[in-house]
Amino acid sequence: MEAKCRVCGGDAGKRHVAREMMYGSREQFGYFECAVCGTLQIATIPADLARHYPAGYYSLEGALPKRPSLKRRLAAAWAYSRDGGLLGWACHALKPNPEMRLLGELGIAKDDPILDVGCGKGARVARLRQFGFSRAEGIDPHLDADVSMDGIAIARRARLEDVSGSYRLVMFHHSFEHLPDPHAALAAARTLLAADGRMLIRVPTCSSQAWETYGTDWVQLDPPRHLFLFSRDGFRRLAEAQGLKIERIDDDSDAFQFWGSEQYRRGIAMNDPRAHSKKTPLFDATQIAAWDAQAKKLNAAGCGDQFAAILGRTSRTPE
Ligand SMILES: [Zn+2]
Protein backbone atom coordinates (compact mmCIF):
# COMPACT_ATOMS: atom_id res chain seq x y z
CA MET A 1 0.00 0.00 0.00
CA GLU A 2 1.21 3.49 -0.81
CA ALA A 3 2.29 5.48 2.20
CA LYS A 4 0.03 8.38 3.20
CA CYS A 5 0.83 11.39 5.32
CA ARG A 6 -0.22 10.70 8.94
CA VAL A 7 -0.91 14.40 9.37
CA CYS A 8 -3.10 15.37 6.39
CA GLY A 9 -3.63 12.14 4.44
CA GLY A 10 -1.68 13.42 1.44
CA ASP A 11 0.42 11.20 -0.80
CA ALA A 12 4.06 10.52 -0.10
CA GLY A 13 6.37 12.74 -2.13
CA LYS A 14 10.13 12.83 -2.03
CA ARG A 15 11.82 9.98 -0.16
CA HIS A 16 15.00 10.01 1.93
CA VAL A 17 17.19 7.54 3.78
CA ALA A 18 18.68 8.73 7.06
CA ARG A 19 21.14 7.20 9.53
CA GLU A 20 20.92 6.91 13.32
CA MET A 21 23.67 9.26 14.54
CA MET A 22 22.98 10.05 18.20
CA TYR A 23 24.52 6.73 19.28
CA GLY A 24 26.15 6.22 15.89
CA SER A 25 24.65 2.80 15.03
CA ARG A 26 24.24 4.20 11.49
CA GLU A 27 21.16 1.99 11.07
CA GLN A 28 19.15 3.31 8.12
CA PHE A 29 15.56 4.52 8.20
CA GLY A 30 13.31 5.63 5.36
CA TYR A 31 11.52 8.99 5.56
CA PHE A 32 9.21 10.76 3.14
CA GLU A 33 7.95 14.30 2.60
CA CYS A 34 4.18 14.70 2.24
CA ALA A 35 3.36 15.98 -1.26
CA VAL A 36 0.53 18.08 0.21
CA CYS A 37 1.55 19.54 3.59
CA GLY A 38 5.30 18.97 3.32
CA THR A 39 5.67 17.20 6.68
CA LEU A 40 8.71 14.94 6.78
CA GLN A 41 7.98 11.64 8.50
CA ILE A 42 9.37 8.18 9.04
CA ALA A 43 8.06 5.74 6.40
CA THR A 44 7.50 2.85 8.82
CA ILE A 45 7.23 3.32 12.57
CA PRO A 46 9.64 0.73 14.01
CA ALA A 47 7.88 -1.93 16.07
CA ASP A 48 10.80 -1.94 18.50
CA LEU A 49 11.07 1.80 19.18
CA ALA A 50 11.94 1.23 22.88
CA ARG A 51 15.27 -0.22 21.74
CA HIS A 52 16.19 3.27 20.56
CA TYR A 53 15.72 4.78 24.04
CA PRO A 54 18.42 2.81 25.87
CA ALA A 55 19.34 3.22 29.53
CA GLY A 56 21.22 6.50 29.70
CA TYR A 57 19.02 8.29 27.14
CA TYR A 58 19.79 11.91 27.94
CA SER A 59 16.39 13.08 29.17
CA LEU A 60 16.01 10.11 31.54
CA GLU A 61 19.42 10.55 33.16
CA GLY A 62 21.02 12.76 35.74
CA ALA A 63 20.10 14.40 39.01
CA LEU A 64 17.34 16.96 39.46
CA PRO A 65 18.54 20.57 39.32
CA LYS A 66 19.89 22.10 42.52
CA ARG A 67 18.09 25.01 44.15
CA PRO A 68 18.68 27.94 41.78
CA SER A 69 21.06 30.71 42.81
CA LEU A 70 19.73 34.07 44.00
CA LYS A 71 20.72 35.57 40.62
CA ARG A 72 18.70 32.98 38.72
CA ARG A 73 15.72 33.42 41.04
CA LEU A 74 15.84 37.19 40.55
CA ALA A 75 16.07 36.76 36.77
CA ALA A 76 13.11 34.35 36.83
CA ALA A 77 10.99 36.72 38.95
CA TRP A 78 11.71 39.62 36.63
CA ALA A 79 10.98 37.52 33.53
CA TYR A 80 7.70 36.26 34.98
CA SER A 81 6.21 39.41 36.49
CA ARG A 82 8.75 42.25 36.20
CA ASP A 83 9.41 41.91 39.95
CA GLY A 84 12.72 42.86 41.55
CA GLY A 85 13.34 46.28 40.04
CA LEU A 86 16.67 47.17 38.52
CA LEU A 87 18.46 44.23 40.14
CA GLY A 88 15.95 41.79 38.66
CA TRP A 89 16.22 43.47 35.28
CA ALA A 90 20.03 43.28 35.38
CA CYS A 91 20.03 39.59 36.32
CA HIS A 92 17.61 38.85 33.47
CA ALA A 93 19.69 40.88 31.03
CA LEU A 94 22.73 38.74 31.90
CA LYS A 95 20.92 35.41 31.80
CA PRO A 96 17.42 35.65 30.34
CA ASN A 97 14.72 33.15 31.23
CA PRO A 98 12.39 32.99 28.20
CA GLU A 99 10.33 30.16 29.68
CA MET A 100 9.39 32.20 32.75
CA ARG A 101 8.64 35.19 30.55
CA LEU A 102 6.27 33.08 28.46
CA LEU A 103 4.45 31.78 31.56
CA GLY A 104 4.00 35.39 32.67
CA GLU A 105 2.72 36.46 29.27
CA LEU A 106 0.23 33.58 29.24
CA GLY A 107 -1.04 34.62 32.67
CA ILE A 108 -0.21 31.25 34.23
CA ALA A 109 -0.53 31.65 38.02
CA LYS A 110 1.85 29.98 40.45
CA ASP A 111 -0.91 27.66 41.68
CA ASP A 112 -2.25 26.73 38.23
CA PRO A 113 -2.00 23.04 37.32
CA ILE A 114 0.69 22.48 34.67
CA LEU A 115 1.44 19.18 32.91
CA ASP A 116 4.75 18.46 31.15
CA VAL A 117 4.18 15.57 28.72
CA GLY A 118 7.30 13.50 28.00
CA CYS A 119 9.10 15.15 30.91
CA GLY A 120 11.96 12.65 31.11
CA LYS A 121 13.51 12.67 34.57
CA GLY A 122 11.47 15.78 35.41
CA ALA A 123 14.18 18.46 35.38
CA ARG A 124 11.87 21.12 33.94
CA VAL A 125 9.09 20.28 36.41
CA ALA A 126 11.59 20.47 39.27
CA ARG A 127 12.75 23.91 38.11
CA LEU A 128 9.18 25.16 37.81
CA ARG A 129 8.49 24.01 41.36
CA GLN A 130 11.67 25.70 42.57
CA PHE A 131 10.36 28.92 41.04
CA GLY A 132 7.08 28.50 42.93
CA PHE A 133 4.78 26.71 40.46
CA SER A 134 3.42 24.42 43.13
CA ARG A 135 1.20 22.28 40.89
CA ALA A 136 3.63 21.52 38.06
CA GLU A 137 3.89 17.81 37.29
CA GLY A 138 5.14 15.58 34.51
CA ILE A 139 4.59 12.23 32.85
CA ASP A 140 6.88 10.05 30.77
CA PRO A 141 6.23 6.47 29.65
CA HIS A 142 9.98 5.77 29.45
CA LEU A 143 10.60 6.32 33.18
CA ASP A 144 11.50 3.21 35.19
CA ALA A 145 9.84 4.64 38.30
CA ASP A 146 8.15 7.80 39.53
CA VAL A 147 10.49 10.68 40.42
CA SER A 148 10.10 12.57 43.71
CA MET A 149 11.44 15.87 44.94
CA ASP A 150 11.18 16.82 48.64
CA GLY A 151 9.00 13.77 49.16
CA ILE A 152 6.48 14.73 46.47
CA ALA A 153 6.06 12.76 43.23
CA ILE A 154 6.72 15.28 40.45
CA ALA A 155 7.16 12.93 37.47
CA ARG A 156 5.14 9.80 36.92
CA ARG A 157 5.63 6.86 34.61
CA ALA A 158 2.49 7.26 32.50
CA ARG A 159 1.17 7.76 29.00
CA LEU A 160 -0.85 10.78 27.95
CA GLU A 161 -3.92 8.58 27.42
CA ASP A 162 -3.77 7.48 31.11
CA VAL A 163 -3.94 11.01 32.53
CA SER A 164 -7.12 12.73 33.67
CA GLY A 165 -7.67 16.16 35.15
CA SER A 166 -7.88 19.75 34.07
CA TYR A 167 -4.76 21.77 33.38
CA ARG A 168 -4.17 25.43 32.72
CA LEU A 169 -1.11 24.50 30.66
CA VAL A 170 -0.19 21.26 28.90
CA MET A 171 3.35 21.34 27.52
CA PHE A 172 5.35 19.20 25.12
CA HIS A 173 9.01 20.20 25.07
CA HIS A 174 10.51 18.22 22.21
CA SER A 175 8.44 15.15 23.02
CA PHE A 176 5.59 15.57 20.52
CA GLU A 177 7.72 14.54 17.51
CA HIS A 178 8.39 11.22 19.26
CA LEU A 179 4.71 10.20 19.41
CA PRO A 180 3.44 7.75 16.75
CA ASP A 181 -0.04 9.27 16.40
CA PRO A 182 -0.01 13.08 16.55
CA HIS A 183 -3.79 13.34 16.02
CA ALA A 184 -4.52 11.01 18.95
CA ALA A 185 -1.97 12.83 21.12
CA LEU A 186 -3.50 16.25 20.42
CA ALA A 187 -7.01 14.91 21.00
CA ALA A 188 -5.95 13.42 24.35
CA ALA A 189 -4.15 16.61 25.38
CA ARG A 190 -7.15 18.74 24.39
CA THR A 191 -9.41 16.87 26.81
CA LEU A 192 -7.00 17.84 29.64
CA LEU A 193 -7.30 21.58 29.02
CA ALA A 194 -9.19 23.76 31.48
CA ALA A 195 -11.71 26.20 29.94
CA ASP A 196 -8.97 28.85 29.64
CA GLY A 197 -6.23 26.25 29.14
CA ARG A 198 -3.38 26.49 26.66
CA MET A 199 -0.99 24.07 25.05
CA LEU A 200 2.67 24.80 24.51
CA ILE A 201 4.25 22.58 21.87
CA ARG A 202 7.95 22.87 21.01
CA VAL A 203 9.05 20.80 18.02
CA PRO A 204 11.69 20.74 15.29
CA THR A 205 10.41 21.75 11.85
CA CYS A 206 11.44 20.83 8.33
CA SER A 207 10.23 24.27 7.20
CA SER A 208 13.70 25.49 8.06
CA GLN A 209 16.93 26.51 6.50
CA ALA A 210 18.73 23.71 8.39
CA TRP A 211 16.73 20.97 6.61
CA GLU A 212 17.22 22.76 3.26
CA THR A 213 20.95 23.04 3.86
CA TYR A 214 21.85 19.77 5.55
CA GLY A 215 19.20 17.32 4.33
CA THR A 216 19.57 13.94 6.07
CA ASP A 217 22.59 15.27 8.04
CA TRP A 218 20.23 17.71 9.79
CA VAL A 219 20.83 16.99 13.46
CA GLN A 220 17.16 17.29 14.48
CA LEU A 221 16.03 14.61 12.03
CA ASP A 222 17.31 12.17 14.71
CA PRO A 223 16.12 8.91 13.11
CA PRO A 224 14.31 6.84 14.19
CA ARG A 225 13.28 8.68 17.41
CA HIS A 226 11.81 11.69 15.59
CA LEU A 227 8.86 10.20 13.77
CA PHE A 228 7.59 13.57 12.51
CA LEU A 229 9.40 16.71 11.45
CA PHE A 230 6.32 18.85 10.99
CA SER A 231 6.17 21.47 8.29
CA ARG A 232 4.60 24.71 9.48
CA ASP A 233 1.63 24.04 7.20
CA GLY A 234 1.27 20.44 8.42
CA PHE A 235 1.35 21.53 12.05
CA ARG A 236 -1.39 24.09 11.43
CA ARG A 237 -3.56 21.51 9.64
CA LEU A 238 -3.05 19.09 12.52
CA ALA A 239 -4.09 21.67 15.12
CA GLU A 240 -7.16 22.74 13.16
CA ALA A 241 -8.29 19.15 12.62
CA GLN A 242 -8.23 18.69 16.40
CA GLY A 243 -10.25 21.78 17.26
CA LEU A 244 -7.25 23.87 18.23
CA LYS A 245 -5.94 27.11 16.89
CA ILE A 246 -2.38 28.39 16.90
CA GLU A 247 -2.43 31.66 18.82
CA ARG A 248 1.23 32.33 18.63
CA ILE A 249 4.34 30.78 17.14
CA ASP A 250 7.94 31.71 17.97
CA ASP A 251 11.04 30.18 16.42
CA ASP A 252 13.47 29.25 19.19
CA SER A 253 16.31 27.54 17.31
CA ASP A 254 19.93 27.92 18.36
CA ALA A 255 23.50 27.10 17.33
CA PHE A 256 22.81 23.36 17.73
CA GLN A 257 21.25 23.23 14.24
CA PHE A 258 24.64 24.21 12.83
CA TRP A 259 27.21 22.47 15.00
CA GLY A 260 25.17 19.25 15.32
CA SER A 261 24.52 19.06 11.58
CA GLU A 262 28.13 19.95 10.68
CA GLN A 263 29.23 17.17 13.02
CA TYR A 264 26.94 14.61 11.33
CA ARG A 265 28.09 15.83 7.92
CA ARG A 266 31.61 14.88 9.03
CA GLY A 267 30.31 11.44 10.01
CA ILE A 268 30.82 11.96 13.75
CA ALA A 269 28.07 10.63 16.05
CA MET A 270 26.60 12.84 18.79
CA ASN A 271 28.07 10.73 21.59
CA ASP A 272 31.47 10.26 19.91
CA PRO A 273 34.19 11.27 22.43
CA ARG A 274 35.78 13.47 19.77
CA ALA A 275 32.66 15.64 19.84
CA HIS A 276 33.11 16.35 23.56
CA SER A 277 36.84 16.94 23.68
CA LYS A 278 37.61 20.08 25.68
CA LYS A 279 41.20 20.11 24.39
CA THR A 280 40.42 19.76 20.70
CA PRO A 281 36.77 20.77 20.24
CA LEU A 282 35.34 20.28 16.76
CA PHE A 283 34.27 23.93 16.61
CA ASP A 284 35.79 26.86 18.47
CA ALA A 285 33.95 29.44 20.56
CA THR A 286 34.11 32.08 17.80
CA GLN A 287 32.39 29.71 15.38
CA ILE A 288 29.70 28.80 17.92
CA ALA A 289 29.06 32.49 18.65
CA ALA A 290 28.68 33.17 14.91
CA TRP A 291 26.18 30.30 14.65
CA ASP A 292 24.29 31.65 17.64
CA ALA A 293 23.95 35.00 15.89
CA GLN A 294 22.87 33.28 12.67
CA ALA A 295 20.23 31.28 14.57
CA LYS A 296 18.76 34.50 15.98
CA LYS A 297 18.43 35.87 12.44
CA LEU A 298 16.75 32.68 11.22
CA ASN A 299 14.34 32.82 14.16
CA ALA A 300 13.40 36.40 13.37
CA ALA A 301 12.80 35.42 9.73
CA GLY A 302 10.65 32.41 10.71
CA CYS A 303 13.01 29.77 9.31
CA GLY A 304 14.74 28.40 12.39
CA ASP A 305 14.75 24.61 12.76
CA GLN A 306 12.36 24.56 15.74
CA PHE A 307 9.44 26.56 17.08
CA ALA A 308 7.28 26.99 20.14
CA ALA A 309 3.56 27.11 19.41
CA ILE A 310 0.81 28.24 21.78
CA LEU A 311 -2.53 26.62 21.06
CA GLY A 312 -5.98 27.26 22.42
CA ARG A 313 -9.28 25.51 21.84
CA THR A 314 -11.63 26.57 19.10
CA SER A 315 -15.36 26.13 19.61
CA ARG A 316 -15.44 23.71 16.71
CA THR A 317 -15.60 20.01 17.58
CA PRO A 318 -12.65 17.99 16.36
CA GLU A 319 -13.07 15.83 13.24
ZN1 LIG B 1 0.65 15.95 4.87
Side-chain angles (χ1 to χ4, degrees):
M1 198 181 81
E2 270 304 293
K4 295 278 185 196
C5 174
R6 298 179 197 91
V7 173
C8 77
D11 287 334
K14 200 170 174 195
R15 290 179 179 273
H16 305 272
V17 176
R19 309 169 294 171
E20 196 290 318
M21 284 297 281
M22 182 184 280
Y23 297 98
S25 76
R26 291 170 174 77
E27 200 173 328
Q28 296 192 331
F29 298 91
Y31 277 72
F32 67 83
E33 292 175 47
C34 169
V36 178
C37 80
T39 292
L40 178 62
Q41 54 206 282
I42 200 162
T44 308
I45 294 175
D48 56 350
L49 260 182
R51 176 166 73 81
H52 300 283
Y53 296 88
Y57 185 67
Y58 75 99
S59 64
L60 299 168
E61 273 298 292
L64 290 175
K66 285 202 270 291
R67 186 173 157 73
S69 67
L70 179 61
K71 258 192 257 177
R72 289 198 59 189
R73 279 182 281 137
L74 284 166
W78 198 87
Y80 176 63
S81 54
R82 300 292 183 268
D83 275 352
L86 199 58
L87 188 58
W89 172 84
C91 291
H92 188 258
L94 284 172
K95 201 161 172 49
N97 190 328
E99 185 169 3
M100 292 298 287
R101 195 179 60 200
L102 180 63
L103 294 181
E105 286 168 1
L106 293 176
I108 308 294
K110 294 258 169 119
D111 59 353
D112 276 337
I114 299 174
L115 181 68
D116 186 10
V117 182
C119 66
K121 191 76 193 286
R124 174 170 274 105
V125 177
R127 264 200 311 272
L128 284 173
R129 285 192 173 245
Q130 286 165 343
F131 288 137
F133 291 88
S134 55
R135 295 170 73 192
E137 59 185 75
I139 53 162
D140 198 303
H142 297 293
L143 280 172
D144 289 330
D146 295 354
V147 178
S148 294
M149 185 172 76
D150 304 330
I152 300 163
I154 59 163
R156 286 181 295 136
R157 177 189 156 95
R159 297 183 170 279
L160 185 55
E161 294 75 14
D162 305 328
V163 179
S164 58
S166 171
Y167 293 87
R168 185 70 209 291
L169 183 65
V170 175
M171 320 187 283
F172 298 79
H173 292 272
H174 291 274
S175 57
F176 195 72
E177 65 271 28
H178 296 254
L179 301 174
D181 186 343
H183 281 285
L186 266 198
R190 188 182 187 275
T191 65
L192 298 176
L193 290 184
D196 57 351
R198 294 289 182 280
M199 260 185 236
L200 163 60
I201 303 185
R202 297 179 62 220
V203 284
T205 177
C206 68
S207 305
S208 59
Q209 198 192 75
W211 164 243
E212 299 299 328
T213 305
Y214 294 106
T216 54
D217 286 327
W218 175 37
V219 68
Q220 293 221 65
L221 185 52
D222 193 25
R225 285 164 292 272
H226 288 180
L227 306 174
F228 295 89
L229 294 307
F230 298 97
S231 67
R232 293 169 197 265
D233 179 42
F235 190 79
R236 185 185 50 76
R237 288 168 185 255
L238 178 68
E240 283 174 4
Q242 292 304 328
L244 295 159
K245 69 168 183 295
I246 299 174
E247 296 179 346
R248 173 176 166 178
I249 197 153
D250 298 305
D251 284 30
D252 61 353
S253 76
D254 56 31
F256 180 54
Q257 66 194 308
F258 297 106
W259 68 256
S261 305
E262 289 287 342
Q263 184 176 324
Y264 285 4
R265 199 181 240 183
R266 289 160 172 73
I268 302 172
M270 191 49 63
N271 69 348
D272 188 306
R274 276 177 292 170
H276 306 285
S277 162
K278 282 220 169 78
K279 261 184 157 169
T280 53
L282 289 174
F283 311 108
D284 63 24
T286 315
Q287 176 67 81
I288 300 284
W291 281 334
D292 259 325
Q294 213 174 327
K296 285 200 177 79
K297 280 188 195 156
L298 293 179
N299 290 345
C303 48
D305 80 334
Q306 58 179 49
F307 60 72
I310 301 294
L311 299 94
R313 271 203 269 226
T314 56
S315 47
R316 208 162 65 82
T317 355
E319 283 160 14

